[in-house]
């Protein structure tokens, strides 16, 4: 086998195997075990959009030895105890938060996505899909504008092409966007339209609850063609890359301190106005939060979401600290044993 050290782009993740773009050709790679396991420290595992260092193998799978520094990264809490937050996508510019204009539309869910989007370092953009099936889109847009302050919102249809012309500025050389959202909201149809072909499998919506079936089963990064043809024949400019991700029924967050501060700036401004700095917003006198809840200027559901996300963030931080202690202990024991040998 002929191994050489080079850099590559991760374009898809299939469990323990990775598609990579190396010298403008699609190759395959696996992790070099010694570089990612039992290292005595927390290491970043590759995800779609990552630039990685590889040992290129001309006769088989190459080996990924290192993940290069990321400019942005979208993280979710890892379901496996003892492992760091899971990277969903990396090195993107925009986060397209997709929600369909039916029963899937949920402001609480949007607030959670906005928080992790801001935390990622990317710029969130709300994309409301299936506008061709909606009779009153302004009703939904107004709700979005109340919680997504300063965030652009677009209503689109992958059937008619409505709204895509307004989004043309995102599709240009050098831009990378990641699509996030629940299953069945139209992410795959969105990708298929701008790619000009059936790139992703699409699935229907159950009429009983408007919930979608999982269609995207792995993360994938694709080059957008230079021109995008809409269903009505209109041609808009293309370019850049788009990352599609599997739908998530529930987004469990990890470290989100900065994201919470941006998404819930109004809530944290109220907290700063409380009479006591250690106010628990329960029975304390001079509590600005309690007053806002009573007079209706702060929505109770929004306050509840803020509290839940703070608890999840605290849990994630505690879990990370415990994991780092275990890693440190393992590293000390390993080095002690190695010196004896």
């Amino acid at each position: 086998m002929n191994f050489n050290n080079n850099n590559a782009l991760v374009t898809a993740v299939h469990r323990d195997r990775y598609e990579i773009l190396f010298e403008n050709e699609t190759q395959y790679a696996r992790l070099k075990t010694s570089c990612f396991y039992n290292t005595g420290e927390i290491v970043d595992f590759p995800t779609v959009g990552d630039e990685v260092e590889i040992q290129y193998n001309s006769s088989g799978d190459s080996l990924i030895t290192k993940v290069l520094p990321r400019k942005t990264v979208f993280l979710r809490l890892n379901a496996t105890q003892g492992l760091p937050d899971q990277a969903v996508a990396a090195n993107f510019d925009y986060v397209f938060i997709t929600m369909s204009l039916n029963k899937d539309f949920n402001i609480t869910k949007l607030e959670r996505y906005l928080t992790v989007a801001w935390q990622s370092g990317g710029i969130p953009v709300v994309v409301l899909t299936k506008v061709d099936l909606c009779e009153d889109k302004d009703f939904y847009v107004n709700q979005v504008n109340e919680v997504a302050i300063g965030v652009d919102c677009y209503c689109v249809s992958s059937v008619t092409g409505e709204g895509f012309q307004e989004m043309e500025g995102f599709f240009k050389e050098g831009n990378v966007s990641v699509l996030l959202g629940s299953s069945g909201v139209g992410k795959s149809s969105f990708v298929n339209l701008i790619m000009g072909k059936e790139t992703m499998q699409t699935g229907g919506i159950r009429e009983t609850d408007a919930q979608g079936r999982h269609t995207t089963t792995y993360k994938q990064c694709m080059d957008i063609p230079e021109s995008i043809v809409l269903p009505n024949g209109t041609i808009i400019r293309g370019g850049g890359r788009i990352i599609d991700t599997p739908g998530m029924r529930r987004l469990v967050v990890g470290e989100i301190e900065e994201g919470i501060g941006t998404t819930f700036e109004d809530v944290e401004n109220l907290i700063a106005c409380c009479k006591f700095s250690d106010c628990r917003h329960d029975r304390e006198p001079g509590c600005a939060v309690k007053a806002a809840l009573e007079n209706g200027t702060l929505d109770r559901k929004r306050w509840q979401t803020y509290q839940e996300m703070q608890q999840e963030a605290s849990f994630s931080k505690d879990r990370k600290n415990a994991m780092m202690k275990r890693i440190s202990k393992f590293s000390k024991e390993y080095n002690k044993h190695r010196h004896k040998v």
Side-chain angles (χ1 to χ4, degrees):
M1 288 187 292
N2 179 26
F3 282 108
N4 293 305
N5 290 322
N6 294 279
N7 293 344
L9 172 71
V10 177
T11 56
V13 177
H14 307 275
R15 294 191 179 181
D16 60 346
R17 200 169 186 230
Y18 300 82
E19 282 185 36
I20 59 174
L21 187 65
F22 175 65
E23 294 186 346
N24 294 319
E25 291 187 3
T26 298
Q27 309 282 345
Y28 291 90
R30 297 179 184 272
L31 299 180
K32 186 172 183 178
T33 304
S34 61
C35 296
F36 290 92
Y37 297 97
N38 300 327
T39 62
E41 59 184 13
I42 297 177
V43 297
D44 292 325
F45 283 75
T47 190
V48 171
D50 268 326
E51 291 186 48
V52 294
E53 188 176 279
I54 65 169
Q55 291 181 351
Y56 176 66
N57 181 8
S58 60
S59 59
D61 286 358
S62 298
L63 295 177
I64 298 175
T65 59
K66 182 181 180 181
V67 175
L68 299 180
R70 297 160 169 162
K71 69 174 184 179
T72 55
V73 60
F74 176 81
L75 298 170
R76 65 180 298 189
L77 193 68
N78 200 314
T80 304
Q81 183 72 22
L83 292 181
D85 290 346
Q86 181 183 19
V88 178
N91 297 319
F92 45 82
D93 301 288
Y94 299 99
V95 182
F96 291 165
I97 302 171
T98 53
M99 299 184 72
S100 58
L101 291 167
N102 56 19
K103 293 180 182 179
D104 173 81
F105 184 87
N106 185 298
I107 283 295
T108 299
K109 188 185 298 184
L110 175 60
E111 289 171 328
R112 299 179 72 87
Y113 275 107
L114 281 169
T115 299
V116 292
W118 283 121
Q119 183 72 25
S120 74
I123 299 174
V125 178
V126 178
V127 180
L128 302 180
T129 62
K130 311 190 184 201
V131 67
D132 56 298
L133 303 177
C134 178
E135 295 181 355
D136 186 8
K137 67 179 181 180
D138 290 339
F139 170 77
Y140 296 97
V141 172
N142 290 336
Q143 292 185 63
V144 170
N145 291 337
E146 287 182 3
V147 300
I149 301 170
V151 176
D152 290 335
C153 177
Y154 298 89
C155 296
V156 303
S157 168
S158 297
V159 175
T160 66
E162 179 180 347
F164 281 87
Q165 195 163 359
E166 288 75 16
M167 296 190 68
E168 183 180 27
F170 297 105
F171 311 131
K172 63 180 181 180
E173 191 65 31
N175 281 358
V176 180
S177 304
V178 58
L179 275 169
L180 300 176
S182 302
S183 299
V185 300
K187 298 195 311 299
S188 295
S189 296
F190 184 100
V191 171
N192 288 342
L193 186 148
I194 65 174
M195 294 299 294
K197 58 183 178 180
E198 198 75 11
T199 304
M200 311 300 294
Q201 181 184 358
T202 60
I205 295 286
R206 294 193 300 265
E207 294 182 2
T208 53
D209 57 4
Q211 294 297 308
R213 303 175 180 88
H214 286 282
T215 51
T216 303
T217 57
Y218 60 90
K219 296 168 281 190
Q220 185 175 4
C221 180
M222 293 155 281
D223 289 324
I224 300 172
E226 294 183 359
S227 298
I228 300 171
V229 182
L230 302 181
N232 62 5
T234 301
I235 299 176
I236 64 174
R237 182 189 61 201
R241 290 191 171 113
I242 190 160
I243 299 173
D244 194 15
T245 62
M248 291 173 271
R249 290 292 187 206
R250 175 168 171 77
L251 176 63
V252 183
V253 299
E255 295 184 65
I256 49 170
E257 287 81 2
E258 293 181 15
I260 285 182
T262 303
T263 303
F264 294 91
E265 183 178 5
D266 58 327
V267 177
E268 298 206 335
N269 285 340
L270 282 172
I271 292 173
C273 293
C274 288
K275 183 176 181 180
F276 301 103
S277 59
D278 60 348
C279 183
R280 293 185 298 177
H281 319 296
D282 185 14
R283 299 180 180 178
E284 293 84 353
C287 175
V289 172
K290 188 169 64 174
L293 289 171
E294 289 174 353
N295 64 32
T297 56
L298 175 60
D299 183 77
R300 290 189 178 277
K301 283 187 177 181
R302 182 166 173 78
W303 171 242
Q304 183 180 359
T305 301
Y306 174 82
Q307 290 179 303
E308 290 175 353
M309 297 192 74
Q310 285 284 19
Q311 291 174 356
E312 290 177 28
S314 178
F315 169 76
S316 175
K317 187 175 182 179
D318 291 343
R319 196 170 83 156
K320 181 179 179 180
N321 290 337
M323 179 176 59
M324 291 181 69
K325 287 180 180 179
R326 289 196 299 270
I327 290 175
S328 178
K329 181 179 179 181
F330 170 82
S331 181
K332 289 178 181 178
E333 291 177 351
Y334 174 79
N335 290 328
K336 184 178 179 180
H337 175 76
R338 186 179 64 178
H339 289 316
K340 284 183 179 180
V341 174

